[in-house]
Amino acid sequence: MADRVLTIEDLQVSFDTYAGEVQAVRGVSLHVDAGEVLAVVGESGCGKSVTAQTIMKLNPMPPARIKGGRIDLAGHDIVSASEREMQHIRGREVAMIFQDPMTCMNPTTQVGWQVVESVRLHNKISKKDAKEEAVNQLTRVNIPNPRERARQYPHQFSGGMRQRAMIAMALSCKPKLLIADEPTTALDVTIQAQIMDLLSEMKRETNTAIILITHDLGVVAGIADRVAVMYAGKVVETGTTRQIFYENRHPYTRALLGSLPQTDSSKREPLTSIPGTPPDLLNPPKGCGFAARCKHCMQICREELPPEFMTEDGHKACCWLLHPDCPSAEERGDRS
C-alpha cells in the first residue's frame, strides 16, 4: 500500500468581507498517496484554489479563516501550525506551481539564482554547490542551454520555459507533495502537452504525490489517477479517472463532461452548456448546491444536503439520486 501523503477531513474555510462571510470551502475531504496524481476539477469559484492554498497556508488570515477540519501533511498538523513551522514545511514537504509564473517569480533576479535561493533555504549547502544544483534542476526540466539560461531573467523566458523554471524551483527540495494550480492555462496546446508529460516524468522519477487543479478535463484524462469534482465549495464526486469519465454518478459531473467539445466530427452534436450560475457562497443553499441547475432536482435536494454515497471501489458521490429509496425518473418527472 502506498504511503498516505495528505489527508484532508471536513475542511471549512471562509473569508470575512464587508458584504459578509464567504463560505469558500464547505467541508472538503480528500486524500492523496505517494506517486499518485489527484486532479481537482470544477468551475471557477468552486473552491479548488482556496483548498490548495490552505494546504500551504498561503491565504492571508484575515480575511481568510479556517473554521474547522483537519489537514495532515506527511505527519504535520497544518491547521495548528505556526507561520514559522510553515516556513520549514513549504518547499521541503509541499511545493506549488502557480498558474502564472511571471507574477510569482522575481523580475529583478536571475532565474538560476531564484532556484539557488530555494535550494539553500532548506539545505545546508554552499553557494557554489547550490548554483550547480540549480543548473541540474533546469536541465531536468528540459530547459536548453541551462547554464546560460540560469543567468537570464524571467522576462527573457517564454511562457513554457517560465513554467518549466517554476517546476524546477518547486522540485528543487524534493517535496513529498506537489500542487499544480492550473499550470497550463496560459499556454498553447503543444506546450500544455509538454508540461503534462514533464509532470508525469517527474512523478515517476521521484514518486512525488501531485494535486492537479484544473477546469480542463482533457488535461485530466492523460495524467490523473483519481479525480475529485468540486462544486460550490464541496467535493461532489470522487473516483478513479475511468470511473469519473465513464461511470460518473453526479449530475454535475455529467454536465461538465457533456459540455466538452466532441472530437468526432461525424456526430455533429451541438455543444451543450450548463444552465444557470453557481450559487452565491455569501448565502449558500441549505440543500444541494447544484439543485437550481439540475434537471433531476427533487424537493429534498433543495432542503437537505445529500450525504456521501459509496458506489464501488472507492467511487463516491453526494447525490440524492443514489439513495436506495429514490423514486424512478418517471416518478420524479425529470426535465428532458
Side-chain angles (χ1 to χ4, degrees), residues 95-102 104-105 111-112 114-115 118 133-146 149-150 154 156-173 178 180 182-202 205:
M96 195 165 189
I97 305 169
F98 294 93
Q99 182 172 343
D100 183 4
M102 194 62 186
C104 302
M105 300 178 77
V111 170
Q114 296 189 51
V115 181
S118 179
E133 178 62 21
V135 172
N136 292 338
Q137 291 295 335
L138 294 177
T139 303
R140 286 183 67 203
V141 297
N142 302 323
I143 288 182
N145 305 317
R149 288 291 188 176
Q156 295 175 285
F157 279 45
S158 67
M161 287 176 62
R162 282 196 294 267
Q163 198 61 279
R164 290 173 187 273
M166 279 289 296
I167 294 172
M169 291 171 62
L171 294 175
S172 61
C173 295
L178 179 65
E182 302 197 27
T184 61
T185 297
L187 307 177
D188 62 56
V189 290
T190 303
I191 304 301
Q192 282 186 18
Q194 293 175 2
I195 295 298
M196 287 298 103
D197 289 344
L198 178 59
L199 288 176
S200 295
E201 182 182 338
M202 294 298 104
E205 288 182 0

Side-chain angles (χ1 to χ4, degrees), residues 250-264:
H250 198 282
Y252 177 62
T253 307
R254 294 172 186 165
L256 276 182
L257 291 167
S259 63
L260 286 176
Q262 298 295 320
T263 56
D264 186 353

Side-chain angles (χ1 to χ4, degrees), residues 57-299:
K57 275 198 167 177
L58 293 178
N59 295 312
M61 300 183 185
R65 175 165 50 92
I66 301 177
K67 293 176 61 180
R70 183 175 76 92
I71 303 175
D72 184 299
L73 172 61
H76 299 280
D77 181 359
I78 299 299
V79 173
S80 63
S82 66
E83 177 57 27
R84 188 179 184 87
E85 291 171 321
M86 289 305 303
Q87 289 176 7
H88 291 285
I89 292 170
R90 297 187 195 114
R92 187 189 299 273
E93 304 287 359
V94 57
M96 195 165 189
I97 305 169
F98 294 93
Q99 182 172 343
D100 183 4
M102 194 62 186
T103 61
C104 302
M105 300 178 77
N106 188 336
T108 66
T109 304
Q110 294 172 348
V111 170
W113 184 249
Q114 296 189 51
V115 181
V116 168
E117 288 180 325
S118 179
V119 172
R120 295 196 72 197
L121 182 65
H122 296 287
N123 298 280
K124 293 181 179 179
I125 186 172
S126 70
K127 187 182 295 186
K128 180 181 178 181
D129 289 342
K131 286 182 178 179
E132 198 59 37
E133 178 62 21
V135 172
N136 292 338
Q137 291 295 335
L138 294 177
T139 303
R140 286 183 67 203
V141 297
N142 302 323
I143 288 182
N145 305 317
R147 200 168 295 277
E148 177 185 343
R149 288 291 188 176
R151 295 191 293 269
Q152 294 183 337
Y153 294 86
H155 73 271
Q156 295 175 285
F157 279 45
S158 67
M161 287 176 62
R162 282 196 294 267
Q163 198 61 279
R164 290 173 187 273
M166 279 289 296
I167 294 172
M169 291 171 62
L171 294 175
S172 61
C173 295
K174 302 176 178 59
K176 296 176 182 175
L177 174 65
L178 179 65
I179 302 173
D181 189 357
E182 302 197 27
T184 61
T185 297
L187 307 177
D188 62 56
V189 290
T190 303
I191 304 301
Q192 282 186 18
Q194 293 175 2
I195 295 298
M196 287 298 103
D197 289 344
L198 178 59
L199 288 176
S200 295
E201 182 182 338
M202 294 298 104
K203 183 197 76 166
R204 288 193 298 270
E205 288 182 0
T206 63
N207 204 38
T208 303
I210 298 176
I211 295 179
L212 173 64
I213 299 171
T214 182
H215 59 267
D216 188 341
L217 288 167
V219 168
V220 168
I223 189 173
D225 299 302
R226 290 188 302 114
V227 181
V229 181
M230 285 190 68
Y231 186 79
K234 299 183 73 69
V235 174
V236 296
E237 185 166 9
T238 55
T240 65
T241 304
R242 178 172 182 79
Q243 288 169 339
I244 295 298
F245 274 81
Y246 299 106
E247 301 164 14
N248 46 76
R249 298 301 184 92
H250 198 282
Y252 177 62
T253 307
R254 294 172 186 165
L256 276 182
L257 291 167
S259 63
L260 286 176
Q262 298 295 320
T263 56
D264 186 353
S265 59
S266 63
K267 293 184 179 180
R268 296 188 179 278
E269 296 178 355
L271 189 65
T272 59
S273 62
I274 306 174
T277 57
D280 183 0
L281 295 183
L282 274 168
N283 186 26
K286 62 179 181 179
C288 175
F290 192 59
R293 307 173 74 185
C294 181
K295 65 181 181 181
H296 306 293
C297 180
M298 301 175 287
Q299 186 63 32

Side-chain angles (χ1 to χ4, degrees), residues 14-52:
S14 290
F15 290 83
D16 296 315
T17 71
Y18 290 112
E21 179 189 353
V22 178
Q23 300 177 42
V25 175
R26 305 188 298 141
V28 164
S29 295
L30 296 170
H31 73 267
V32 61
D33 297 332
E36 179 182 45
V37 178
L38 171 68
V40 182
V41 303
E43 291 174 84
S44 296
C46 70
K48 307 185 299 295
S49 293
V50 173
T51 300

